[in-house]
Amino acid sequence: MSESGPQRPLRSRRIRGLRLRVAAGFALGSLVLVGVLSLVTYFFAEHYLVQQRERSLVHQASVDARAFRDDLKRGKSVTDALNTLERTPNSNVSVRVAGRWFLTSAEKRSTKPPSRVRAALAEGTTAQHRFRQDGRSLFVVGLPLRSVGADYYETFVLAELDRTLGVIRTALLAGGALAIIFGGLLGFWMSRRVLRPVTEIAVAARRVATGDFGTRLARDSDPDLDSLATSFNEMVDSVEQRIQRETRFVADVSHELRSPLTTLTATAEVLRARRTELPERARPAFDLLDIEIERLAQLVEDLLELSRADAGVDELDLGAVELGEFMRHAIDPIRANGAKLVIDDELATHRVLIDKRRLERVLANLVANAETHGDGLTRVSVTRVDSIMRIEVDDRGSGVGPAERDAVFARFFRGAASGKRVNNSGSGLGLALVAEHVSLHGGQVSIEDAGPDDGARFVVELPWREP
């Protein structure tokens, strides 16, 4: 699924956690499957090779034992019979004649065969046994030679068989490792294909969450994905329509309130000019009424401005200003309260492109917030970091906790002041307007700690634009 028409294209972003889990699942499945197949293959290969080798060695031992018996019958001594015996290079022969042990001189490390083989020959039966000794794999065949009164033992070193099995093990391990790697890569590739629609939906949902209601998902040939795209688009349409209705409602209400508010404001100005003529008992009531009318007028203006921002009709009106002069003018009303303006002399002479009205409103709202909720403004600084203009506004309050640093820019958020109505508490829209104006500039606003013993620091970061 992808965007179509005039809508902005969706970027594919990785859902790393899920993709890695799918790839790991494929790799684990390959590990289990290859492990089982390798064990079964090795078991049967080992069983077959060992069986064939043992059968061959038993036959060889039988031939050597008959040759040894025939030499003894012809009158040769045990030693001569052993020395003339034609053996394989990796074998050792030992015989027991009349309670005495004789062995070939080629191998001295094993003088006696295992006890279980000797016990079998003592009962007159042929025996064979495979075992390990001194790090070597050995196979011994015992044959009773009753006609000459001897027990014949031939021990074979299975070095060639060990090498063959080692090669098989190495091949199976290498093949298993390659299969696991291939399985992981296949899983990652499959996850990218399978999760591509999920990735695009996640990107689209993120855009919708940031207010981009023009985002849509295109129809897909797959019926399941097509149903998902249709449901998503219908959801976005529904959300967009609801927000538009709410925006129009707020705008209409605010607009309708302007006329009576204008009348109330004009009346309040007339009464304010004649306040001394009012009865003494009526003056406090008029003062409260005047404050509330002013608050209501400001609330309506803020709501109208936010409704224009929600409707997407606001545009930047950029103009060139001298940064130092602009900042001194913007904070001049509060410099008498001891607030400091910190700006480098060279930076102050630079001319930048800003929306003067909006940035003045941003600074005014941050100053008002510091005075109302931060126990007063202490410092305003302006710096440039690469292509970013950074404005910091410090107060001397108790700061803003990490849990509330994003919420304070929500509309009508009052934090600890929620439910407490005082004359200067504001409407709760000042910081929301700050966020809207800064966002319209293409910047961002955040909150930091001003210092170990200081209050909050509101940081506005805007793109550095020069005329």
Side-chain angles (χ1 to χ4, degrees):
M1 292 181 289
S2 60
E3 287 188 339
S4 63
Q7 299 148 0
R8 292 185 293 176
L10 290 172
R11 290 184 180 179
S12 176
R13 299 182 180 179
R14 295 181 179 178
I15 306 179
R16 296 182 182 274
L18 189 55
R19 287 184 179 177
L20 289 177
R21 287 197 296 272
V22 173
F26 269 79
L28 182 61
S30 300
L31 173 63
V32 174
L33 180 61
V34 171
V36 172
L37 290 178
S38 297
L39 288 176
V40 171
T41 301
Y42 181 77
F43 172 78
F44 281 107
E46 181 188 34
H47 179 73
Y48 174 78
L49 292 175
V50 169
Q51 190 177 51
Q52 293 297 317
R53 184 62 174 158
E54 287 181 351
R55 186 180 295 115
S56 173
L57 294 177
V58 168
H59 176 73
Q60 179 66 39
S62 299
V63 172
D64 294 341
R66 285 195 297 270
F68 175 77
R69 182 195 60 190
D70 294 343
D71 285 344
L72 290 182
K73 286 182 177 181
R74 284 195 291 269
K76 285 187 178 182
S77 66
V78 175
T79 302
D80 291 340
L82 286 175
N83 291 335
T84 59
L85 193 63
E86 295 182 0
R87 299 175 294 104
T88 59
N90 291 326
S91 68
N92 172 49
V93 176
S94 58
V95 294
R96 187 171 182 269
V97 180
R100 293 182 58 191
W101 285 94
F102 299 87
L103 66 155
T104 57
S105 58
E107 180 62 63
K108 299 295 183 181
R109 284 189 290 179
S110 178
T111 58
K112 292 183 179 180
S115 57
R116 61 183 295 180
V117 179
R118 287 185 281 119
L121 264 67
E123 296 177 359
T125 60
T126 300
Q128 61 189 48
H129 179 56
R130 184 162 60 94
F131 61 98
R132 293 192 67 82
Q133 186 179 70
D134 298 331
R136 300 176 304 164
S137 183
L138 304 175
F139 181 69
V140 60
V141 179
L143 299 167
L145 304 178
R146 291 292 179 260
S147 60
V148 293
D151 290 337
Y152 179 90
Y153 304 90
E154 188 164 357
T155 304
F156 300 90
V157 180
L158 303 179
E160 183 178 352
L161 179 62
D162 285 345
R163 285 193 296 270
T164 301
L165 292 176
V167 170
I168 294 176
R169 285 194 300 270
T170 302
L172 289 175
L173 287 174
L178 291 175
I180 293 171
I181 295 173
F182 177 77
L185 294 176
L186 177 63
F188 190 77
W189 179 76
M190 287 293 295
S191 68
R192 293 192 64 178
R193 291 184 59 85
V194 173
L195 297 177
R196 178 177 57 83
V198 179
T199 304
E200 295 182 353
I201 291 173
V203 176
R206 192 177 300 113
R207 285 184 174 177
V208 172
T210 58
D212 184 3
F213 294 104
T215 301
R216 295 293 185 276
L217 296 174
R219 303 290 294 272
D220 198 278
S221 58
D222 187 285
D224 296 324
L225 297 180
D226 182 68
S227 174
L228 183 60
T230 302
S231 300
F232 180 87
N233 293 338
E234 290 175 352
M235 179 197 68
V236 176
D237 290 337
S238 176
V239 172
E240 183 180 18
Q241 292 171 6
R242 180 173 180 178
I243 291 178
Q244 288 176 350
R245 286 196 303 269
E246 293 176 351
T247 301
R248 284 196 301 268
F249 174 77
V250 173
D252 292 343
V253 170
S254 301
H255 182 74
E256 291 300 323
L257 286 174
R258 294 188 74 175
S259 296
L261 271 175
T262 302
T263 302
L264 288 173
T265 301
T267 303
E269 288 179 357
V270 172
L271 292 176
R272 192 181 304 116
R274 297 177 176 272
R275 183 178 182 277
T276 56
E277 300 176 10
L278 294 175
E280 187 174 347
R281 294 181 60 183
R283 292 174 187 173
F286 167 73
D287 292 338
L288 291 176
L289 179 63
D290 190 26
I291 291 173
E292 292 303 323
I293 290 175
E294 183 179 354
R295 186 199 306 276
L296 184 58
Q298 185 61 53
L299 175 60
V300 171
E301 289 297 327
D302 290 346
L303 287 174
L304 283 172
E305 196 159 358
L306 286 173
S307 66
R308 288 195 297 270
D310 291 339
V313 298
D314 271 355
E315 294 182 359
L316 283 178
D317 182 16
L318 297 177
V321 299
E322 188 177 284
L323 187 56
E325 180 182 355
F326 170 79
M327 292 301 299
R328 283 189 291 270
H329 172 76
I331 70 165
D332 184 67
I334 50 84
R335 292 188 66 186
N337 294 334
K340 299 178 181 178
L341 172 61
V342 181
I343 181 171
D344 184 78
D345 292 339
E346 183 179 353
L347 191 64
T349 59
H350 271 77
R351 294 180 64 81
V352 293
L353 287 175
I354 59 172
D355 188 323
K356 185 178 178 181
R357 182 188 68 84
R358 294 183 188 280
L359 193 52
E360 283 180 345
R361 186 69 185 276
V362 167
L363 292 171
N365 286 0
L366 291 178
V367 168
N369 179 76
E371 294 294 330
T372 304
H373 303 289
D375 296 335
L377 186 71
T378 60
R379 186 181 73 102
V380 177
S381 71
V382 184
T383 56
R384 178 180 179 181
V385 182
D386 297 328
S387 59
I388 299 296
M389 178 170 63
R390 180 181 172 96
I391 302 174
E392 298 177 357
V393 179
D394 296 355
D395 61 45
R396 58 171 59 90
S398 58
V400 180
E404 292 187 344
R405 290 185 178 179
D406 290 330
V408 295
F409 297 104
R411 298 171 186 185
F412 298 106
F413 179 82
R414 296 176 184 275
S418 180
K420 300 178 183 179
R421 185 71 177 195
V422 294
N423 288 342
N424 63 345
S425 61
S427 63
L429 295 177
L431 293 181
L433 279 171
V434 168
E436 291 291 346
H437 290 321
V438 171
S439 177
L440 194 59
H441 274 86
Q444 62 181 9
V445 59
S446 58
I447 304 176
E448 302 175 353
D449 292 324
D453 301 319
D454 298 323
R457 170 176 294 164
F458 285 77
V459 180
V460 175
E461 295 181 330
L462 303 175
W464 182 272
R465 297 184 178 98
E466 294 186 353

